[in-house]
Amino acid sequence: MVNTMVNKSIQALQDGATPGRYPLERVRNIGIIAHIDAGKTTVTERILYYTGRTYKIGEVDAGTTVMDWMQQERERGITIKAAATTCYWHDHRVNIIDTPGHVDFTAEVERSLRVLDGGVVIFDAVAGVEAQSETVWRQANRYHVPRICFINKMDRMGANFERTISMIETRLRAKPLPIQLPLGSEETFEGIIDLVENEAWRFDTDPDSPPAKVAIPESLQAKVAEFRQALIEKLAENDEQIMTAYLGDTTITPAELKSALRRVTLANKGVPIICGSALRNRGIQPLLDAVVSYLPSPLDMPPVKATDNRSGSEVTREPRDDAPFTALAFKVVSDPFVGRLVYFRVYSGKIKAGAGIYNAARGEKERIGRLLLMHANHREETEEASTGDIVASLGLKNTFTGDTLCLPTQPVLLESIRFPQPVLSIAIEPKTRADQDRMAEALQKLTEEDPTFKVNFNEETGQTIISGMGELHLEVIVARMLTEFKVAAQVGKPQVAYKETITTPVEVEGKFIRQSGGHGQFGRVFVELEPLERGKGFEFVNAIRGAAIPRNFIPAVEAGIKEAMEAGVIAGYPVVDVKATLTDGNYHEVDSSELAFKMAGSIALKSGVNKAKPVLLEPIMKLEVVSPQEFLGDIIGDINSRRGRIEAIDTQGETGSVRAFVPLAETFGYATTLRSITQGRATHSLEFYQYKELSSELADEIMGKTTVRRSLHA
């Protein structure tokens, strides 16, 4: 399985040459995804070393990694931005995106998975499936991404390969297919047993020492036979060819097993499981072999579906260079050296530097400037981008995350990327007048880069409010403003991003009439408001029959309703999960205007929300705490005091884990409290779960504070 020969592609790379165009069947676009601290970046650094992409192994703790190149990443020892690179293994081109593990940067994972064909999910052999592991797994499910699992840190005390597999099955509802077993455990872990080839490999800690093929220990032979038989039986359940051979009592060769594993993986019917220790340089070559053997090429993925801009019908784009050019922009970066970079994935066709293209999402023509292949923050210029490529371009001034790029003569629209809404806000203001202009420019660039980062100006208080996915997210944004954009700013305390919604349907009238000499303003609408399911956002329906309101005024009514929803009604928080149906209205041939109907829509929304039994919604977080069992009682008591709800308590040896749901408002300062009650021996993770209705007592308290705040700034 482990081929230690250096192939021609790697040799060309080491000689300073760039390998030419690879056939699509030998291209892999993969993402490295996992919970924070599972070892994604360490795995990626080893992959780059063993493929000849780098000559020195970077270490996260030493701040010398290639992929974590930002100052903030190296200082904190975490990945913040998804970084792209390309390497070559056994005559295959592997495009890799290393994604963040912290939940605050989940948008980076979301947009990466949207454009990737396969994924490598990393698990910590000690912790198993953690909170963010579940999140990234759901994201991969959403985009039907085939994946393999790498159980990392097998050399650590408490590492448990079989327990982790069991957690993958129960918590992720996946079908694990172990194709390796660990050779040794914890401090004696020294290699892997390949169940497909039925052979064992030992790895030296020296990264330059080739793996050594060894005999499978006698003490493990029965276990290996049992696991290999279980692998064949699981494959037989999901693959007809293996089923036929199994029922016919025919010997199944390793080549047949590999082919079946590939078919089952590509169909998302099973997930191959392998293991190793990236920090000790063990198991990386078999991981690369698995990427090449089991993860899809662009040809293995179904043709991408798009909407024809002219007819509105669904069309497909085959992954071929001679098909019409179609690409999706998935990332925008403000590079301090070259300017605004737009990353995009080419799904079909090819494009040359300097070519004119069409942004179907915004209806604008653009021109591709320079085309760049990215290796983290290093750039390599190329003349052409072809099907399956992931490249960055300069010159796309009006292209943003989720936009479709295509030919002006054949405009199509790909499905965009959905991002979660921010849950935490802080007020920020520049320290000096000179900082004011720099802050505006910095905030604009940061919002272009990060779809989960929002900026609003509160007219009542005169404050600039920035919103993000959590305390760390906003902390990093503020730090980047100071270091990258040289903006000195004063930052307020974090505020929870509450929402408003309605609980009963209501029909209301919105009327705007002004008469002040000459032409006046007249607009009158009748709107039905009804609550939607949590998380559905806003829906507008035009149900007017006849010509009660001219068609050109309808968008103005919708715009007025949206504007009023953003501003809030009962406490100044955005209104969400509402369906507005425009049922009737009146207009005046002379006095009616778009402005009048926009105001009428706004008035209708405000009036309707007040009548429809409005409530406040608060963000609920999913909390997971891992701690020595002796502290579990104190942890549970503290969670209960924070209005938390315990979901599950698991114990494994001397360690226990608690999963719970806690309101975001109660989690500020939780890390400090947890350190105090567990003597610093517990770890925790928080991620957004859902918005939930706030009790009337707490809602009254929050609305009272809002009223005071408004009166102070009046």
Side-chain angles (χ1 to χ4, degrees):
M1 176 178 177
V2 181
N3 188 345
T4 58
M5 293 176 61
V6 178
N7 60 47
K8 293 178 182 177
S9 303
I10 300 173
Q11 193 61 54
L13 206 60
Q14 292 170 336
D15 293 341
T18 302
R21 172 76 172 145
Y22 272 67
L24 275 180
E25 64 268 17
R26 287 196 271 120
V27 173
R28 301 288 183 270
N29 289 317
I30 66 165
I32 311 290
I33 56 177
H35 184 93
I36 192 169
D37 285 339
K40 294 177 304 303
T41 301
T42 304
V43 168
T44 309
E45 292 294 322
R46 267 58 182 182
I47 287 174
L48 295 181
Y49 182 79
Y50 285 113
T51 57
R53 195 67 173 87
T54 57
Y55 304 105
K56 184 180 178 184
I57 295 177
E59 301 292 356
V60 173
D61 292 342
T64 57
T65 57
V66 172
M67 303 304 279
D68 285 354
W69 55 270
M70 285 175 60
Q71 180 183 338
Q72 287 293 316
E73 292 176 317
R74 292 189 168 181
E75 286 177 358
R76 298 170 187 271
I78 61 171
T79 302
I80 293 170
K81 279 187 178 182
T85 189
T86 300
C87 58
Y88 304 88
W89 184 254
H90 295 346
D91 215 21
H92 284 69
R93 172 176 173 161
V94 184
N95 298 317
I96 300 174
I97 296 183
D98 176 30
T99 65
H102 198 285
V103 67
D104 283 16
F105 309 105
T106 189
E108 293 288 320
V109 184
E110 188 80 26
R111 58 182 167 194
S112 299
L113 286 172
R114 171 66 178 82
V115 298
L116 292 170
D117 300 325
V120 177
V121 189
I122 313 290
F123 294 95
D124 182 328
V126 179
V129 176
E130 300 172 88
Q132 185 65 4
S133 307
E134 295 183 62
T135 302
V136 298
W137 196 270
R138 285 196 303 271
Q139 289 171 311
N141 283 342
R142 188 180 309 134
Y143 296 114
H144 308 290
V145 175
R147 67 217 82 147
I148 58 178
C149 296
F150 181 73
I151 300 177
N152 192 25
K153 305 187 180 183
M154 285 301 306
D155 60 314
R156 285 184 58 200
M157 185 177 292
N160 192 322
F161 181 74
E162 292 177 44
R163 172 176 171 264
T164 304
I165 291 174
S166 175
M167 292 177 77
I168 291 171
E169 191 166 21
T170 55
R171 288 185 63 170
L172 303 180
R173 295 181 177 85
K175 291 183 180 176
L177 302 170
I179 59 173
Q180 292 179 3
L181 288 178
L183 185 61
S185 63
E186 298 182 344
E187 69 275 3
T188 64
F189 174 72
E190 56 181 352
I192 57 102
I193 299 170
D194 179 358
L195 297 176
V196 176
E197 300 282 358
N198 210 20
E199 55 192 25
W201 293 88
R202 179 182 288 130
F203 297 84
D204 200 309
T205 51
D206 179 359
D208 296 320
S209 295
K213 186 175 178 180
V214 296
I216 297 173
E218 256 186 64
S219 59
L220 290 174
Q221 285 181 2
K223 184 177 181 180
V224 169
E226 179 191 338
F227 268 77
R228 194 171 194 273
Q229 182 64 24
L231 173 64
I232 292 171
E233 289 173 1
K234 285 183 180 179
L235 286 174
E237 291 173 9
N238 295 284
D239 186 82
E240 284 188 16
Q241 292 182 35
I242 296 295
M243 172 67 82
T244 303
Y246 181 70
L247 293 177
D249 206 21
T250 307
T251 301
I252 300 170
T253 65
E256 290 172 329
L257 277 180
K258 280 187 178 180
S259 297
L261 277 164
R262 181 172 182 81
R263 290 191 295 270
V264 169
T265 305
L266 297 187
N268 274 311
K269 293 180 179 178
V271 186
I273 311 288
I274 58 180
C275 63
S277 169
L279 191 64
R280 302 283 178 250
N281 309 308
R282 291 169 179 159
I284 302 302
Q285 297 97 322
L287 168 61
L288 282 161
D289 288 340
V291 166
V292 166
S293 298
Y294 307 126
L295 290 183
S297 75
L299 291 176
D300 295 313
M301 304 303 289
V304 66
K305 293 179 181 178
T307 303
D308 189 300
N309 272 31
R310 292 167 295 194
S311 66
S313 59
E314 185 178 274
V315 295
T316 58
R317 287 287 183 260
E318 300 282 343
R320 302 193 322 264
D321 283 350
D322 58 355
F325 171 71
T326 310
L328 185 74
F330 68 95
K331 185 178 173 72
V332 177
V333 174
S334 297
D335 191 294
F337 299 104
V338 295
R340 189 176 190 270
L341 279 173
V342 176
Y343 287 68
F344 61 87
R345 156 75 190 266
V346 182
Y347 283 99
S348 65
K350 52 187 177 181
I351 199 75
K352 290 191 174 183
I357 57 168
Y358 182 68
N359 184 329
R362 303 185 185 274
E364 294 186 10
K365 290 184 178 180
E366 293 260 50
R367 184 165 296 280
I368 296 278
R370 292 159 60 196
L371 282 172
L372 305 169
L373 293 173
M374 301 301 295
H375 176 49
N377 61 327
H378 300 290
R379 299 162 294 277
E380 182 183 304
E381 202 151 342
T382 183
E383 288 300 312
E384 188 176 67
S386 306
T387 303
D389 285 350
I390 294 175
V391 295
S393 174
L394 291 166
L396 299 174
K397 296 177 181 176
N398 298 306
T399 297
F400 299 87
T401 299
D403 288 358
T404 303
L405 304 175
C406 55
L407 296 176
T409 54
Q410 294 178 292
V412 293
L413 197 60
L414 297 169
E415 182 188 353
S416 191
I417 310 172
R418 288 178 299 228
F419 295 104
Q421 289 298 309
V423 295
L424 201 65
S425 302
I426 56 174
I428 186 168
E429 54 187 46
K431 286 187 176 179
T432 67
R433 187 173 292 276
D435 288 318
Q436 191 162 355
D437 292 337
R438 286 200 296 268
M439 187 173 92
E441 181 187 353
L443 291 176
Q444 181 189 346
K445 288 181 178 178
L446 290 167
T447 51
E448 285 184 8
E449 282 189 15
D450 187 349
T452 59
F453 173 62
K454 305 291 184 187
V455 180
N456 292 297
F457 183 75
N458 190 319
E459 293 183 1
E460 292 180 346
T461 63
Q463 291 178 311
T464 299
I465 307 295
I466 60 174
S467 305
M469 298 303 297
E471 290 182 88
L472 179 62
H473 187 198
L474 294 176
E475 193 180 308
V476 167
I477 290 283
V478 172
R480 287 187 62 194
M481 286 175 61
L482 179 62
T483 56
E484 291 180 34
F485 300 98
K486 312 300 180 191
V487 177
Q490 293 177 324
V491 181
K493 291 182 179 179
Q495 301 291 326
V496 178
Y498 294 101
K499 306 281 187 190
E500 301 174 14
T501 193
I502 59 175
T503 56
T504 59
V506 66
E507 185 172 353
V508 290
E509 175 191 19
K511 186 164 58 176
F512 183 72
I513 303 174
R514 292 287 184 275
Q515 196 68 46
S516 56
H519 287 313
Q521 295 285 356
F522 180 87
R524 187 183 185 203
V525 296
F526 292 90
V527 178
E528 287 181 0
L529 300 178
E530 53 187 302
L532 290 175
E533 285 181 39
R534 200 67 70 237
K536 290 291 184 181
F538 171 64
E539 186 180 335
F540 178 80
V541 178
N542 175 20
I544 287 184
R545 295 179 179 177
I549 299 175
R551 186 170 294 178
N552 58 308
F553 291 147
I554 304 297
V557 178
E558 182 180 0
I561 292 173
K562 280 184 176 178
E563 197 172 282
M565 288 177 68
E566 282 296 318
V569 178
I570 58 173
Y573 297 108
V575 179
V576 296
D577 303 334
V578 171
K579 179 181 179 181
T581 305
L582 180 61
T583 58
D584 203 356
N586 300 113
Y587 77 102
H588 189 279
E589 289 187 1
V590 177
D591 291 348
S592 287
S593 65
E594 288 188 5
L595 175 63
F597 276 97
K598 184 178 179 181
M599 293 301 297
S602 177
I603 291 165
L605 186 281
K606 290 175 181 176
S607 172
V609 168
N610 279 314
K611 293 177 181 177
K613 297 184 180 177
V615 293
L616 280 185
L617 303 173
E618 67 172 340
I620 304 297
M621 308 299 284
K622 182 186 284 188
L623 170 68
E624 180 163 348
V625 183
V626 178
S627 163
Q629 283 199 38
E630 61 197 271
F631 303 115
L632 288 185
D634 291 337
I635 290 169
I636 292 166
D638 181 67
I639 290 172
N640 288 331
S641 72
R642 295 172 184 267
R643 295 193 286 129
R645 177 172 64 84
I646 305 295
E647 181 193 25
I649 301 169
D650 298 320
T651 56
Q652 176 71 27
E654 297 179 359
T655 304
S657 67
V658 179
R659 282 180 282 156
F661 299 107
V662 185
L664 174 63
E666 305 291 342
T667 63
F668 297 140
Y670 183 70
T672 305
T673 304
L674 185 64
R675 273 197 299 270
S676 174
I677 62 178
T678 65
Q679 300 171 13
R681 295 171 63 191
T683 60
H684 80 289
S685 62
L686 277 164
E687 65 170 302
F688 172 71
Y689 177 61
Q690 67 176 16
Y691 270 92
K692 190 176 178 183
E693 188 175 325
L694 197 59
S695 68
S696 56
E697 295 83 4
L698 288 169
D700 290 342
E701 184 182 327
I702 289 164
M703 285 190 282
K705 289 178 182 177
T706 305
T707 305
V708 170
R709 191 168 67 244
R710 286 176 168 177
S711 63
L712 287 173
H713 291 89

